[in-house]
Amino acid sequence: MRKVKGKIKRMVAERKSTRPIKEWVKEERPREMLVQLGAENLPLAKLLAIILRTGKDGMSAEELARTLLNRFGSLRGIDSAPISEISKSMELALPERCK
């Protein structure tokens, strides 16, 4: 069963259409944009991506940030949402929620 799960995971990873942020053009990466443009000129999704640090399988940190912002409406909405709702949106396991 583990071999099958591992094989499926590899197949999904190979077919994913998104690329990790570290593979993006340097000028489009959230941290580089923060340094170059300043926080006040960055889209909210890029700022939240910097805070999140990592995405999840098949989704970059910026895509995850957009998903959260769309679901909760704002940073204040994310901040006031219960951890259980946020982790459901992010599909995180308990150890990841604690970060």
Side-chain angles (χ1 to χ4, degrees):
M1 188 67 165
R2 284 186 179 169
K3 288 181 183 181
V4 172
K5 283 184 180 181
K7 186 175 181 178
I8 291 171
K9 210 173 197 179
R10 280 191 302 279
M11 288 171 60
V12 168
E14 289 171 4
R15 292 183 181 175
K16 72 179 181 181
S17 60
T18 61
R19 303 173 88 187
I21 290 176
K22 64 184 173 185
E23 292 180 11
W24 291 7
V25 176
K26 223 175 192 179
E27 293 77 24
E28 289 295 316
R29 296 178 192 168
R31 288 189 181 122
E32 282 77 355
M33 287 182 75
L34 176 64
V35 170
Q36 184 178 19
L37 303 173
E40 62 279 353
N41 296 312
L42 235 56
L44 203 50
K46 290 204 184 279
L47 289 172
L48 185 54
I50 292 167
I51 293 167
L52 291 173
R53 292 184 17 222
T54 63
K56 62 178 192 165
D57 287 343
M59 187 180 283
S60 70
E62 188 173 340
E63 291 167 321
L64 186 55
R66 278 193 214 112
T67 299
L68 290 170
L69 288 167
N70 287 331
R71 170 94 196 275
F72 297 103
S74 66
L75 288 177
R76 195 172 305 277
I78 295 169
D79 183 49
S80 62
I83 295 284
S84 60
E85 285 300 307
I86 296 169
S87 59
K88 277 185 205 171
S89 297
M90 294 173 68
E91 298 175 11
L92 295 177
L94 184 60
E96 287 294 312
R97 292 181 209 171
C98 296
K99 288 183 181 176

